[in-house]
Amino acid sequence: DLVRSRGLGDVYKRQVQEKLKKIVRNILKFLIPLCCGIAIFWALYSRLDMEQIARILQSEIKYGWIILSMIVGVVSHIVRAMRWQLQLRALGNPVSFRTLTNAIFGTYAMNLLFPRLGEVWRCGYVARREDMSFTLLLGSVVSDRLMDTVSVICLIIAVFFLQMHVLLDFLKQYPMIEETIFSIVSSPYPYVFILLFVGAMIWLFKQKKEYRWIEKVKGMLRNLWYGFRTVLTMKQKTRFIIYTVLLWTCYYLQLYFCIFAFSDTAHLGALAALSLFVMGSIGMGIPVQGGFGPWHLAVMATLAIYGITDKNVAGSFALVAHGSQMVVIVLLGIYTFFSILFEKKKTQVDK
């Protein structure tokens, strides 16, 4: 009995250690990106005149344009839900529009806590709500984000040809970025990793069925591929493309409308707004909560290239343009919380 109790004690200790390690990892996943974003933000704004920025925010902004930008921000989330609904119908799983809007609204709110957590959360929420396969939903999200990546690449190419001098000036102003991009492209390691990954996948699918974990991985990969393939094979590809164009038009207009809220930026045209939007999108791609810090850096640097040399004005613009959308995300997150809460209560009453 003494040996048995000691053994149980060791098992309990290991379980506690594993739980503590998991908690520490989650805390680090939250704190490291947040600290990096705060450090960038502090480095940018600690050198600015906060009193002048306060005056700009109080009396020099046309907030009607900011409100219009925020409304377009809400529309963009609704359009994303419509596009995802189209994907899920192609998978043979019609989902209510309210469930999908809750999932999309909650996704962005979750991403403010942990970068990229929102995508996992929305799959889990819809899977529980509609009794669907989590990995099948994850495959649809992967294809959804892949389309976003393709869209950003297309926009970068468009800006490169339409505003080539802007990109070149940006890289000259920040040579470290140019060096980093060149080192990644010229390094053999990414290509070796891709080859190893492809080789591992080929080996995995050639293994016999006697390994249970291999079968589970195969099932997950099949569901992921099936979810991605629906975009290529769906009957309503035209509508999917229309939703994609509409979605990114909304994203663009969010920033474009903010330009007219400031007298110092109102003269910037549509192409300048496109450059700001692309640079900001690249900044949002960095895994920091809400792009906090990197987005401000990218937009302020691009404004300087277009002649907005007053850093206080550029800082105010970045602060308001980014902050207004964060307010939208927080408000939609609060709405989603209560919406899901009422859903659970209604389900309990029905039972």
Side-chain angles (χ1 to χ4, degrees), residues 196-222:
L196 289 174
F197 179 78
V198 172
M201 292 300 102
I202 294 172
W203 173 83
L204 192 64
F205 276 90
K206 286 185 177 181
Q207 294 304 301
K208 297 179 180 178
K209 295 184 178 180
E210 57 192 42
Y211 298 105
R212 185 178 297 178
W213 69 271
I214 290 178
E215 284 305 303
K216 287 183 178 180
V217 174
K218 282 183 178 180
M220 290 179 62
L221 291 174
R222 287 193 190 100

Side-chain angles (χ1 to χ4, degrees), residues 141-155:
V141 171
V142 169
S143 62
D144 180 72
R145 289 306 186 184
L146 184 62
M147 283 302 299
D148 290 343
T149 303
V150 171
S151 300
V152 171
I153 292 172
C154 290
L155 288 170

Side-chain angles (χ1 to χ4, degrees), residues 211-277:
Y211 298 105
R212 185 178 297 178
W213 69 271
I214 290 178
E215 284 305 303
K216 287 183 178 180
V217 174
K218 282 183 178 180
M220 290 179 62
L221 291 174
R222 287 193 190 100
N223 283 335
L224 285 171
W225 168 245
Y226 183 55
F228 170 68
R229 191 181 61 183
T230 54
V231 178
L232 304 176
T233 59
M234 67 169 56
K235 294 180 180 179
Q236 296 178 310
K237 285 194 287 288
T238 302
R239 183 180 293 184
F240 183 85
I241 293 171
I242 290 172
Y243 284 160
T244 301
V245 173
L246 182 59
L247 173 66
W248 283 88
T249 300
C250 287
Y251 286 160
Y252 166 72
L253 290 177
Q254 289 176 47
L255 190 60
Y256 183 61
F257 288 149
C258 287
I259 285 176
F260 298 104
F262 295 79
S263 58
D264 292 284
T265 60
H267 66 281
L268 298 176
L271 290 178
L274 184 62
S275 298
L276 285 169
F277 174 64

Side-chain angles (χ1 to χ4, degrees), residues 49-66:
D49 186 347
M50 298 311 296
E51 291 184 2
Q52 184 178 345
I53 288 178
R55 285 195 297 271
I56 293 172
L57 297 181
Q58 290 173 4
S59 59
E60 298 182 21
I61 298 178
K62 300 174 183 176
Y63 279 101
W65 288 105
I66 303 301

Side-chain angles (χ1 to χ4, degrees), residues 275-295:
S275 298
L276 285 169
F277 174 64
V278 169
M279 294 303 180
S281 298
I282 294 172
M284 288 295 288
I286 298 173
V288 175
Q289 287 89 334
F292 187 78
W295 190 91

